[in-house]
């Protein structure tokens, strides 16, 4: 080899290989590290005092904890199902509305969204309590003899949660639905399909990514609900977030509270993974 | 009433959207197995007519009969009509086979039978090997064949084609025009197509319906529309046309037509001759006009000056200016004589009695 042979070009350095403008990400990354990743690591550390897993052993051996976890999942599933069912026709109406109707539907959806969560939960108390509007109307109409017990029950919790979560389900559904070409439904009907047949075979499969997105959002948000079940439910309807708060603020058992929070996070991640798997399978089927 | 039902009858069909008259008194009939193309500029009512036939639009008045049955209040899914949409409207989440089998599925045909019938139809449109693909994995031309197969697979009474060539590139169009026509004939389908491309209409149709401003301007075979247009609009829309304006008057047994720089005559009993003195427009196709022989004084003639002479290989295109300033286009294969002409020369052009159309006004 002679000295005149061309030098092997040096590859770009790590910094050079980063996409242009990456430096703009630094503040956000720092923020996340400082205020999210670091406290999370602290939390996990706190849940394992002296490296012992006794808090986790306690959670998975005591029926009271398991019952609250199971209850949290059950309520979240019901809330997810009801929210998606209510959101579907609403999003369908939005996707097929004229400009004015769309504006109205959007405002009707988002104005409550802008009101504080606490305020909305208190409003439900006013509406649902024994002397509240709902019971008074039903009594006045003679439909019931004695006031229905709506508050401090699971019904109250579900109502309140569905109300809070509705926009989270409507918006992803709407964004998928507005891209569905309604001429496909015309094509379906000229092919001899009733509206329902076309809905089941053409519209619903195409709206499914929206349904999944709405379901995953509402379910994972529902898992961590605190204020609404605390105000509208009974102690028997306690959800895991209330239990975590109780460990921190009343029992002052930081280790157990932290462990419960980690369990909630793990289960939420698991739910996410399952939904994600569903989406991948769906996408694979569509691209097969 | 005859026992032989027409495949399709429209009787004074109108559609009004508030003040807007999208369709006004449209009537026509279709025989079984006929290929009709509705032709017209956008907004002329041809697409509305198609959507009325499909059942997507309920007419404001008038009647629509398919195979003799009144379709008032019958929804699209119970009309037994096949339709190919402009951008095909294939179901993206279904395979080609599922798409084509869908009309059979909705009719309750059991799976094994509907799949074999769908495969058979895919074979007819030349896509036998593509059953398991998804629409987006296919080219525009292939998607169109899938759409055609879906529209034909259940032996519909009528097949509707909405701008069938609009989404194809130019090269593929000519090929698919012939192919769709052949497939439609092969399965004996009665077809109503919509287009704004006159060449497509001429190539594919048994008859053409020309629409203008919500009304049916004229319906007939391509030859009828070309040789006997009933209006300036139709004359201009199908092919090229020279329009000569003038007056007609009776003189003894004959009808003389005259304008600035041109004259023509018709026997008095010719159906084209107006009964009394009237303003007329004469339609002359560029290829029926010829150079008059030296010294000849033909009965049907115009005189003008050569403005332009364009050589097109097999023929010349000649543009002559009349006394009143209007231009006349001529397509002629009389290459030797036209080569001798120069810009500004005076010419006498003539045409035969049977080669022109007289339109009132």
């Amino acid at each position: 080899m002679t000295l005149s042979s061309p030098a092997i070009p040096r590859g770009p350095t790590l910094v050079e290989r980063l996409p242009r403008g990456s430096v703009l990400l630094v503040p956000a990354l720092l923020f996340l590290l400082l205020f999210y990743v670091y406290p999370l690591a602290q939390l996990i550390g706190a849940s394992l005092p002296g490296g012992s897993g006794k808090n986790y052993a306690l959670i998975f051996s005591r029926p009271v904890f398991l019952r609250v976890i199971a209850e949290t999942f059950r309520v979240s599933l019901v809330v997810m199902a009801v929210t998606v069912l209510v959101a579907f026709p609403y999003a369908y109406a939005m996707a097929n509305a004229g400009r004015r109707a769309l504006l109205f539907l959007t405002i009707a959806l988002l104005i409550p969204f802008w009101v504080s969560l606490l305020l909305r939960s208190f409003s439900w108390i006013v509406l649902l309590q024994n002397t509240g509007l709902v019971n008074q109307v039903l009594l006045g109409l003679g439909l019931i003899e004695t006031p229905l017990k709506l508050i401090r029950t699971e019904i109250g919790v579900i109502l309140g949660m569905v109300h809070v979560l509705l926009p989270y389900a409507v918006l992803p559904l709407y964004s998928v639905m507005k891209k569905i070409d309604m001429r496909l439904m015309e094509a379906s009907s000229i092919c001899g399909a009733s509206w329902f047949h076309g809905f089941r075979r053409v519209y619903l499969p195409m709206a499914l990514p929206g349904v999944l997105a709405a379901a995953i959002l509402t379910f994972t948000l529902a898992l961590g609900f605190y204020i609404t079940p605390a105000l509208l439910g009974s102690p028997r309807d306690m959800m895991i977030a209330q239990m975590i708060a109780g460990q921190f603020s009343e029992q002052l058992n930081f280790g157990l509270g932290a462990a419960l929070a980690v369990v909630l996070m793990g289960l939420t991640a698991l739910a996410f993974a399952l939904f994600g798997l569903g989406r991948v399978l769906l996408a694979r089927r569509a691209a097969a | 009433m005859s026992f032989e039902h027409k495949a399709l009858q429209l009787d004074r069909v109108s559609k009004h959207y508030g003040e807007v008259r999208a369709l006004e008194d449209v009537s026509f009939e279709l025989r079984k197995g006929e290929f009709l193309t509705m032709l017209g500029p956008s907004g002329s009512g041809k697409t509305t007519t198609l959507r009325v036939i499909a059942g997507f639009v309920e007419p404001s008045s008038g009647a629509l009969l398919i195979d003799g049955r009144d379709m008032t209040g019958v929804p699209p899914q119970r009309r037994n009509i096949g339709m190919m949409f402009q951008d095909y409207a294939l179901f993206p989440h279904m395979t080609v086979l599922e798409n084509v089998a869908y009309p059979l599925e909705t009719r309750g045909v059991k799976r094994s039978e509907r799949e074999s019938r769908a495969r058979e139809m895919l074979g007819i449109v030349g896509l036998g090997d593509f059953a398991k693909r998804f629409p987006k994995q296919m080219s525009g031309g292939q998607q169109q064949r899938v759409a055609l197969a879906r529209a034909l697979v259940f032996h519909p009474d009528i097949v509707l084609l909405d701008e069938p060539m609009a989404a194809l590139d130019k090269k593929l169009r000519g090929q698919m025009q012939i192919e769709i026509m052949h497939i439609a004939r092969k399965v004996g389908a009665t077809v109503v197509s919509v287009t704004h491309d006159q060449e497509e209409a001429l190539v594919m149709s048994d008859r053409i319906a020309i629409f203008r401003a919500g009304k049916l301007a004229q319906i007939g075979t391509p030859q009828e529309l070309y040789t006997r247009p009933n209006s300036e609009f139709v004359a201009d829309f199908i092919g090229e046309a020279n329009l000569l304006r003038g007056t007609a008057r009776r003189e003894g047994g004959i009808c003389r037509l005259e304008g600035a720089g041109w004259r023509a005559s018709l026997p008095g009993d010719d159906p084209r001759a107006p009964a009394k003195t009237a303003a007329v427009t004469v339609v002359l196709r560029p290829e029926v006009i010829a150079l008059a022989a030296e010294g000849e004084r033909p009965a049907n003639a115009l005189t003008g000056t050569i403005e332009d002479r364009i050589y097109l290989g097999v023929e010349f295109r000649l543009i002559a200016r009349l006394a009143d300033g209007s231009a006349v286009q001529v397509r002629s294969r009389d290459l030797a004589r036209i080569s001798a002409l120069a810009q500004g020369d005076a010419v006498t052009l003539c045409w035969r009695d049977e080669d022109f159309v007289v339109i009132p006004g």
Side-chain angles (χ1 to χ4, degrees):
Chain A
M1 199 193 236
T2 63
L3 280 173
S4 62
S5 70
I8 297 162
R10 204 168 48 87
T13 64
L14 187 66
V15 174
E16 281 166 352
R17 262 184 292 172
L18 285 172
R20 240 163 236 257
S22 307
V23 72
L24 295 175
L25 285 175
V26 169
L29 279 174
L30 276 179
F31 182 88
L32 278 176
L33 277 173
L34 199 63
F35 295 106
Y36 191 73
V37 179
Y38 172 73
L40 203 61
Q42 286 278 315
L43 184 81
I44 292 171
S47 74
L48 299 160
S52 113
K54 67 176 166 65
N55 286 324
Y56 293 99
L58 194 68
I59 290 170
F60 289 109
S61 59
R62 285 273 181 83
V64 57
F65 294 120
L66 292 176
R67 200 182 58 78
V68 169
I69 290 169
E71 189 72 353
T72 304
F73 268 75
R74 193 182 59 77
V75 170
S76 298
L77 278 172
V78 172
V79 166
M80 173 193 85
V82 174
T83 309
V84 173
L85 276 176
V86 173
F88 196 96
Y90 198 95
Y92 182 90
M94 275 175 73
N96 296 291
R99 270 175 45 188
R100 262 190 223 169
L102 176 62
L103 190 69
F104 173 79
L105 288 169
T106 309
I107 290 172
L109 184 72
L110 291 184
I111 282 190
F113 195 46
W114 296 330
V115 175
S116 133
L117 186 74
L118 203 60
L119 206 60
R120 275 185 283 167
S121 297
F122 276 118
S123 310
W124 277 111
I125 295 180
V126 175
L127 284 173
L128 298 178
Q129 63 196 347
N130 287 359
T131 55
L133 189 67
V134 174
N135 272 318
Q136 275 177 352
V137 167
L138 290 174
L139 286 167
L141 289 173
L143 290 171
I144 49 173
E145 302 271 305
T146 52
L148 291 174
K149 190 155 171 48
L150 296 171
I151 202 167
R152 306 255 162 251
T153 64
E154 195 176 305
I155 292 175
V157 175
I158 290 170
L159 257 175
M161 285 175 75
V162 167
H163 179 220
V164 172
L165 287 171
L166 200 57
Y168 294 98
V170 170
L171 293 176
L173 274 168
Y174 168 68
S175 78
V176 169
M177 284 174 173
K178 77 165 193 274
K179 288 191 211 114
I180 296 179
D181 183 357
M182 287 312 280
R183 262 171 317 170
L184 292 174
M185 286 299 277
E186 280 190 352
S188 167
S189 73
I190 204 81
C191 281
S194 63
W195 184 88
F196 182 74
H197 191 108
F199 177 79
R200 191 170 59 77
R201 288 280 285 137
V202 177
Y203 195 87
L204 194 58
M206 298 192 69
L208 215 51
V211 174
L212 268 178
I216 187 172
L217 256 176
T218 47
F219 182 68
T220 50
L221 286 172
L223 283 176
F225 257 56
Y226 171 64
I227 293 174
T228 309
L231 290 179
L232 296 172
S234 72
R236 272 172 27 100
D237 303 312
M238 189 194 277
M239 289 178 68
I240 192 166
Q242 292 162 267
M243 187 167 256
I244 294 168
Q247 291 302 326
F248 277 106
S249 60
E250 288 157 27
Q251 315 288 328
L252 298 180
N253 190 344
F254 289 6
L256 189 59
L260 278 168
V262 172
V263 167
L264 171 63
M265 194 174 71
L267 291 171
T268 308
L270 190 71
F272 242 108
L274 282 176
F275 276 110
L277 188 70
R279 289 183 80 157
V280 168
L281 290 178
L282 207 69
R284 190 169 297 166
R285 206 187 63 181
Chain B
M1 186 177 148
S2 80
F3 288 96
E4 174 86 19
H5 292 307
K6 295 287 180 185
L8 176 70
Q9 283 168 279
L10 273 80
D11 185 23
R12 297 171 62 83
V13 169
S14 299
K15 178 67 190 177
H16 300 165
Y17 294 99
E19 289 296 294
V20 183
R21 293 162 175 237
L23 221 53
E24 189 98 45
D25 277 347
V26 169
S27 304
F28 63 84
E29 295 180 343
L30 219 60
R31 296 187 313 273
K32 282 201 173 72
E34 202 175 3
F35 198 125
L36 176 84
T37 298
M38 301 193 285
L39 182 64
S42 46
S44 59
K46 57 192 196 304
T47 302
T48 306
T49 306
L50 197 79
R51 292 178 65 77
V52 165
I53 299 171
F56 298 138
V57 171
E58 190 74 16
S60 309
S61 64
L64 172 79
L65 283 77
I66 294 176
D67 204 15
R69 284 173 294 131
D70 184 9
M71 286 293 125
T72 308
V74 178
Q77 63 265 28
R78 285 201 272 116
R79 292 194 176 193
N80 204 34
I81 286 178
M83 182 161 175
M84 194 168 100
F85 289 77
Q86 189 167 346
D87 40 19
Y88 315 135
L90 297 173
F91 306 126
H93 58 292
M94 294 187 199
T95 64
V96 165
L97 187 71
E98 285 171 319
N99 264 284
V100 176
Y102 189 74
L104 302 172
E105 176 192 316
T106 62
R107 284 167 173 78
V109 178
K110 66 178 197 292
R111 179 178 288 271
S112 60
E113 192 194 333
R114 67 180 189 241
E115 286 197 350
S116 75
R117 279 171 65 182
R119 276 181 199 284
E120 187 190 349
M121 188 47 76
L122 278 173
I124 291 176
V125 300
L127 289 177
D129 300 331
F130 294 83
K132 291 288 169 213
R133 296 234 191 149
F134 282 86
K136 70 174 175 216
Q137 298 169 313
M138 307 185 82
S139 71
Q142 290 169 332
Q143 288 184 24
Q144 192 196 40
R145 288 161 198 254
V146 177
L148 184 66
R150 189 179 66 183
L152 292 174
V153 71
F154 56 102
H155 303 301
D157 294 327
I158 313 271
V159 178
L160 306 177
L161 310 177
D162 186 7
E163 301 266 0
M165 305 300 160
L168 294 183
D169 59 53
K170 212 169 171 184
K171 223 173 127 188
L172 210 52
R173 277 183 203 180
Q175 188 194 331
M176 286 310 293
Q177 284 167 7
I178 308 271
E179 196 153 342
I180 287 182
M181 192 176 69
H182 283 170
I183 292 167
R185 243 181 241 160
K186 192 169 174 179
V187 301
T190 307
V191 184
V192 181
S193 180
V194 156
T195 187
H196 55 257
D197 177 354
Q198 58 142 316
E199 193 193 314
E200 181 183 318
L202 289 171
V203 168
M204 297 178 82
S205 329
D206 297 316
R207 282 194 300 157
I208 298 174
I210 297 190
F211 281 76
R212 182 195 192 186
K215 291 182 181 151
L216 183 58
Q218 193 175 357
I219 182 166
T221 65
Q223 290 95 321
E224 280 167 2
L225 296 180
Y226 190 77
T227 57
R228 292 201 298 280
N230 66 2
S231 62
E232 276 184 48
F233 178 79
V234 172
D236 219 26
F237 209 83
I238 295 272
E240 288 176 276
N242 295 300
L243 304 170
L244 303 177
R245 294 178 206 288
T247 49
R249 60 195 159 78
R250 293 272 173 176
E251 223 178 70
I254 53 173
C255 173
R256 296 201 181 281
L257 305 124
E258 219 165 354
W262 67 271
R263 64 170 183 275
S265 61
L266 284 170
D269 57 355
D270 191 286
R272 288 172 290 175
K276 52 188 186 208
T277 301
V280 291
T281 299
V282 163
V283 178
L284 274 178
R285 298 294 182 185
E287 67 278 8
V288 305
I289 307 175
L291 282 173
E294 209 75 40
E296 189 194 356
R297 255 188 72 84
N300 305 320
L302 63 84
T303 52
T305 53
I306 301 288
E307 179 160 298
D308 230 327
R309 199 190 64 179
I310 302 152
Y311 178 62
L312 294 169
V314 294
E315 63 182 21
F316 266 108
R317 179 170 295 240
L318 208 59
I319 299 165
R321 190 66 65 181
L322 294 188
D324 67 349
S326 59
V328 168
Q329 286 213 31
V330 181
R331 289 162 69 171
S332 170
R333 302 200 170 177
D334 194 353
L335 302 183
R337 289 184 59 206
I338 293 177
S339 302
L341 293 172
Q343 201 179 1
D345 285 357
V347 281
T348 303
L349 301 168
C350 60
W351 58 93
R352 296 183 304 173
D353 278 358
E354 61 268 35
D355 281 344
F356 71 100
V357 176
V358 181
I359 294 165

